[in-house]
Amino acid sequence: MRIGTRGSVMALAQTEEVLRQLKLARPQGTFEKVLFDTKGDRDTTSKLVQQGGKGGAFVSEIRDAVRRKELHAAMHSLKDIPGNEETPDLTIGAYLQRDTAHDCLVLRADRSEADLSSSAATAPLTIGSTSVRRAAFLRHIYPGCETIHFRGSVVGSEKSRLFKLDNQLPQETEDGGTVGPADALVLAASGLKRVNQDHRIERVFSTSEMLPAVGQGVVVVECRSDDYETLELLASVDHFETRQCALAERELLWILNGHCNSPIAGICEMDDGELRLRAAVMSLDGRKMIETEVSGEVALPRELGREAAFQLLGKGAGELIEASRL
């Protein structure tokens, strides 16, 4: 079985976990990971929206290899898969058990969180992130700070975000200029744990402070819809609770027609035999936020996602999403 993956340190760590579980399910099987240097890995300067979003940057090249039958399957972070496209020839065969969905703060050694909290508007400290969602929440948590565009793998090279943070290096921009350096970063806590950098976490934001991205903390394995042998194998490592929660979140994204620049957030959890979905849409400046919370049957995740999406649209979320396309 050939599984495609990006070649970053984090993607390899995620794929190793997929392979570990598959080998436990089928000890006699032979498994091989195939590394891809995707557009988003090659170009760490341009904003993701200019590369076709996260899908175009990190997913499309590996997906095409699955379609050509060069691979049996592909490993993805669920939050990298676009929520507003149809792929009837491909399907997610396995959702691995979700890691923590929380975002977290990482500081440069000479900074403290107190510095961020007291940052003056005349000389604001900078927090690096590529996410408009995180930027919107950060404007509430650290109103005196400036959020700057900051890209790259988390670790593994001199272009990685942690290396640039620690060495006070600026972020190159697509116009040949630079921004930064950064005083802090906001990253997914699950990602830092996967690459053994969780000791760098200064603060874990509660989901009330910073609602996660849809699919955050979930690793999935995708294959062709008609590859029944691979689907049968992937079913052996599929985590039911994670799948149901992810289906609710992804339906929310689908109905909202979310794109890579949309400040949309959502987290679904199983609570006392029910699914509970919290979701929000924000303005790009973080000043306006529309929220909702719904609960429903575990067996009906997509219906729950639709209900949450229509509630948000009824409160005016569509205008905020359209404004973020500009």
Side-chain angles (χ1 to χ4, degrees), residues 292-306:
T292 193
E293 179 176 325
V294 294
S295 297
E297 297 179 33
V298 173
L300 300 172
R302 288 191 173 92
E303 286 80 354
L304 187 68
R306 273 182 232 128

Side-chain angles (χ1 to χ4, degrees), residues 34-283:
V34 181
L35 308 188
F36 283 75
D37 187 26
T38 66
K39 183 190 302 182
D41 296 309
R42 296 190 299 271
D43 178 358
T44 59
T45 300
S46 302
K47 293 184 178 180
L48 291 174
V49 68
Q50 296 169 334
Q51 299 180 33
K54 286 189 172 183
F58 301 126
V59 174
S60 62
E61 293 164 273
I62 309 177
R63 276 180 159 175
D64 287 344
V66 175
R67 291 185 173 105
R68 293 191 300 265
K69 301 185 180 181
E70 296 168 9
L71 303 170
H72 295 93
M75 188 287 302
H76 307 296
S77 291
L78 184 58
K79 69 177 183 177
D80 289 345
I81 299 179
N84 58 346
E85 67 176 19
E86 293 186 51
T87 55
D89 55 336
L90 299 174
T91 189
I92 295 174
Y95 294 77
L96 270 63
Q97 184 171 0
R98 187 177 222 153
D99 292 323
T100 178
H102 295 271
D103 293 290
C104 67
L105 179 72
V106 176
L107 293 169
R108 208 170 68 205
D110 60 338
R111 297 299 187 196
S112 69
E113 191 183 0
D115 295 332
L116 301 184
S117 299
S118 61
S119 179
T122 54
L125 297 184
T126 57
I127 305 175
S129 174
T130 60
S131 165
V132 294
R133 172 191 60 86
R134 287 171 177 156
F137 281 111
L138 285 169
R139 289 185 179 98
H140 290 277
I141 300 171
Y142 304 114
C145 293
E146 177 187 359
T147 303
I148 59 173
H149 172 67
F150 218 74
R151 282 204 52 210
S153 60
V154 175
V155 294
S157 77
E158 293 185 359
K159 291 187 176 182
S160 71
R161 280 175 279 178
L162 286 181
F163 186 91
K164 287 186 288 189
L165 174 72
D166 293 339
N167 292 277
Q168 301 186 40
L169 298 176
Q171 165 71 47
E172 297 177 356
T173 56
E174 63 268 23
D175 61 3
T178 60
V179 293
D183 298 289
L185 302 175
V186 174
L187 302 165
S190 59
L192 284 172
K193 182 179 179 181
R194 288 185 191 116
V195 295
N196 299 313
Q197 293 294 318
D198 44 327
H199 61 280
R200 296 294 306 268
I201 296 175
E202 178 71 19
R203 173 181 176 182
V204 175
F205 297 107
S206 70
T207 56
S208 298
E209 295 172 310
M210 188 175 290
L211 200 61
V214 166
Q216 187 157 304
V218 180
V219 172
V220 299
V221 188
E222 189 175 46
C223 67
R224 298 193 322 276
S225 303
D226 60 358
D227 185 353
Y228 303 114
E229 184 177 358
T230 297
L231 282 168
E232 181 181 4
L233 176 56
L234 293 179
S236 64
V237 299
D238 186 57
H239 188 258
F240 175 75
E241 180 177 331
T242 299
R243 173 181 282 273
Q244 299 305 96
C245 290
L247 288 174
E249 294 173 28
R250 296 281 295 173
E251 188 71 13
L252 166 82
L253 204 56
W254 173 263
I255 298 296
L256 293 177
N257 194 23
H259 56 95
C260 72
N261 205 45
S262 299
I264 297 172
I267 181 72
C268 184
E269 299 168 293
M270 196 176 290
D271 183 23
D272 196 27
E274 279 193 324
L275 293 181
R276 180 170 65 100
L277 174 60
R278 289 176 290 147
V281 176
M282 297 139 279
S283 61

